[in-house]
Amino acid sequence: MNALNSSIPSELGSCSNLTYLALALNSLTGDLPLALSNQKRISELGLSGTIPSDLGKNSPSLANVSFSENNFSGELPPGLCNGLALQELTANVNGFNGSLPECLNTAQN
C-alpha cells in the first residue's frame, strides 16, 4: 500500500515494455485506462478502479491478476477468459455481482 490518491495516468497504457503493475490497496480514483487492455507483455496486475470489459483480451502473457481489497463492483470482465496464461485470480473484498466468466465457472472433479 502506497496511499496513492489520484487517478491512474492514461500514459501507463502506452508503456510498451510493461510486464508488472501493482496498484491495489490504494485510494486511486477514476477508471483504469482502456489502453492497459492492449498490453501484450503484461503478466501480473494488481488493480484499483473500474475494470475495462476487455481486460485480458489482448494480453496472452497475463498469468496473475489481483482485484483484491478494492471497491470494484459489477461483473468480472469476460475478457479474462482470453488471457490464456491466467493461473491465479483473486477478487476478494469487493462488491462484484453477476456471474463468473464461463472459463472460471467450471467445476473441478
Side-chain angles (χ1 to χ4, degrees):
M1 183 164 155
N2 295 310
L4 299 174
N5 60 5
S6 65
S7 63
I8 302 167
S10 61
E11 293 81 11
L12 282 177
S14 59
C15 296
S16 60
N17 291 320
L18 186 66
T19 59
Y20 179 85
L21 179 62
L23 297 174
L25 300 173
N26 283 291
S27 297
L28 298 169
T29 59
D31 295 344
L32 193 68
L34 290 175
L36 280 177
S37 297
N38 294 321
Q39 290 293 328
K40 304 229 184 292
R41 294 177 166 221
I42 200 152
S43 62
E44 293 193 41
L45 281 174
L47 303 171
S48 182
T50 301
I51 304 168
S53 62
D54 61 351
L55 182 68
K57 182 177 181 181
N58 298 309
S59 305
S61 299
L62 189 59
N64 300 303
V65 179
S66 175
F67 299 126
S68 296
E69 298 183 42
N70 288 290
N71 292 315
F72 290 118
S73 60
E75 296 183 6
L76 287 169
L80 284 174
C81 293
N82 297 327
L84 299 178
L86 189 62
Q87 297 174 1
E88 184 176 329
L89 171 70
T90 57
N92 56 313
V93 191
N94 281 289
F96 287 118
N97 59 27
S99 302
L100 286 173
E102 190 60 37
C103 68
L104 301 175
N105 199 16
T106 58
Q108 299 289 324
N109 291 332

Short mmCIF file of all heavy atoms in Angstrom, two decimals, residues 56 59-63 79-87:
data_model
loop_
_atom_site.label_atom_id
_atom_site.label_comp_id
_atom_site.label_asym_id
_atom_site.label_seq_id
_atom_site.Cartn_x
_atom_site.Cartn_y
_atom_site.Cartn_z
N GLY A 56 -7.58 -8.44 -20.54
CA GLY A 56 -7.12 -9.81 -20.78
C GLY A 56 -7.26 -10.24 -22.21
O GLY A 56 -6.58 -11.15 -22.66
N SER A 59 -3.88 -9.79 -23.98
CA SER A 59 -2.72 -9.97 -23.11
C SER A 59 -2.41 -11.46 -22.93
O SER A 59 -2.72 -12.04 -21.90
CB SER A 59 -2.97 -9.33 -21.75
OG SER A 59 -3.33 -7.98 -21.90
N PRO A 60 -1.77 -12.10 -23.92
CA PRO A 60 -1.54 -13.54 -23.85
C PRO A 60 -0.61 -13.98 -22.73
O PRO A 60 -0.58 -15.14 -22.37
CB PRO A 60 -0.95 -13.88 -25.22
CG PRO A 60 -0.37 -12.60 -25.71
CD PRO A 60 -1.23 -11.51 -25.14
N SER A 61 0.16 -13.07 -22.14
CA SER A 61 1.07 -13.41 -21.05
C SER A 61 0.45 -13.20 -19.67
O SER A 61 1.08 -13.48 -18.67
CB SER A 61 2.34 -12.56 -21.13
OG SER A 61 3.01 -12.80 -22.34
N LEU A 62 -0.79 -12.71 -19.63
CA LEU A 62 -1.43 -12.40 -18.36
C LEU A 62 -1.62 -13.68 -17.54
O LEU A 62 -2.38 -14.56 -17.92
CB LEU A 62 -2.77 -11.71 -18.60
CG LEU A 62 -3.48 -11.13 -17.39
CD1 LEU A 62 -2.60 -10.08 -16.71
CD2 LEU A 62 -4.79 -10.52 -17.80
N ALA A 63 -0.89 -13.79 -16.44
CA ALA A 63 -0.94 -15.00 -15.63
C ALA A 63 -1.53 -14.76 -14.24
O ALA A 63 -2.22 -15.62 -13.71
CB ALA A 63 0.47 -15.59 -15.48
N GLY A 79 -13.34 -10.77 -20.77
CA GLY A 79 -12.06 -10.86 -21.48
C GLY A 79 -10.99 -11.60 -20.73
O GLY A 79 -9.99 -12.02 -21.30
N LEU A 80 -11.17 -11.80 -19.41
CA LEU A 80 -10.19 -12.57 -18.64
C LEU A 80 -10.05 -13.98 -19.19
O LEU A 80 -9.01 -14.59 -19.08
CB LEU A 80 -10.60 -12.64 -17.17
CG LEU A 80 -10.36 -11.38 -16.35
CD1 LEU A 80 -10.94 -11.56 -14.96
CD2 LEU A 80 -8.90 -11.05 -16.27
N CYS A 81 -11.10 -14.49 -19.77
CA CYS A 81 -11.05 -15.85 -20.34
C CYS A 81 -10.11 -15.93 -21.53
O CYS A 81 -9.66 -17.01 -21.88
CB CYS A 81 -12.45 -16.29 -20.76
SG CYS A 81 -13.56 -16.52 -19.37
N ASN A 82 -9.82 -14.81 -22.14
CA ASN A 82 -8.94 -14.81 -23.30
C ASN A 82 -7.48 -14.70 -22.92
O ASN A 82 -6.62 -14.83 -23.76
CB ASN A 82 -9.33 -13.67 -24.24
CG ASN A 82 -10.72 -13.84 -24.77
OD1 ASN A 82 -11.19 -14.95 -24.98
ND2 ASN A 82 -11.43 -12.75 -24.95
N GLY A 83 -7.17 -14.42 -21.65
CA GLY A 83 -5.80 -14.41 -21.17
C GLY A 83 -5.37 -15.85 -20.94
O GLY A 83 -5.48 -16.37 -19.86
N LEU A 84 -4.88 -16.51 -21.98
CA LEU A 84 -4.66 -17.95 -21.96
C LEU A 84 -3.67 -18.41 -20.90
O LEU A 84 -3.67 -19.54 -20.51
CB LEU A 84 -4.20 -18.41 -23.35
CG LEU A 84 -5.21 -18.15 -24.46
CD1 LEU A 84 -4.64 -18.60 -25.81
CD2 LEU A 84 -6.53 -18.85 -24.18
N ALA A 85 -2.82 -17.52 -20.41
CA ALA A 85 -1.83 -17.89 -19.40
C ALA A 85 -2.36 -17.70 -17.98
O ALA A 85 -1.63 -17.93 -17.03
CB ALA A 85 -0.55 -17.08 -19.60
N LEU A 86 -3.61 -17.29 -17.83
CA LEU A 86 -4.16 -16.99 -16.50
C LEU A 86 -4.01 -18.20 -15.57
O LEU A 86 -4.52 -19.27 -15.84
CB LEU A 86 -5.63 -16.59 -16.60
CG LEU A 86 -6.27 -16.06 -15.34
CD1 LEU A 86 -5.58 -14.77 -14.89
CD2 LEU A 86 -7.75 -15.80 -15.55
N GLN A 87 -3.26 -17.99 -14.47
CA GLN A 87 -3.01 -19.04 -13.49
C GLN A 87 -3.62 -18.72 -12.13
O GLN A 87 -3.98 -19.61 -11.39
CB GLN A 87 -1.51 -19.28 -13.33
CG GLN A 87 -0.83 -19.76 -14.57
CD GLN A 87 0.68 -19.82 -14.40
OE1 GLN A 87 1.22 -19.51 -13.34
NE2 GLN A 87 1.37 -20.21 -15.44
#
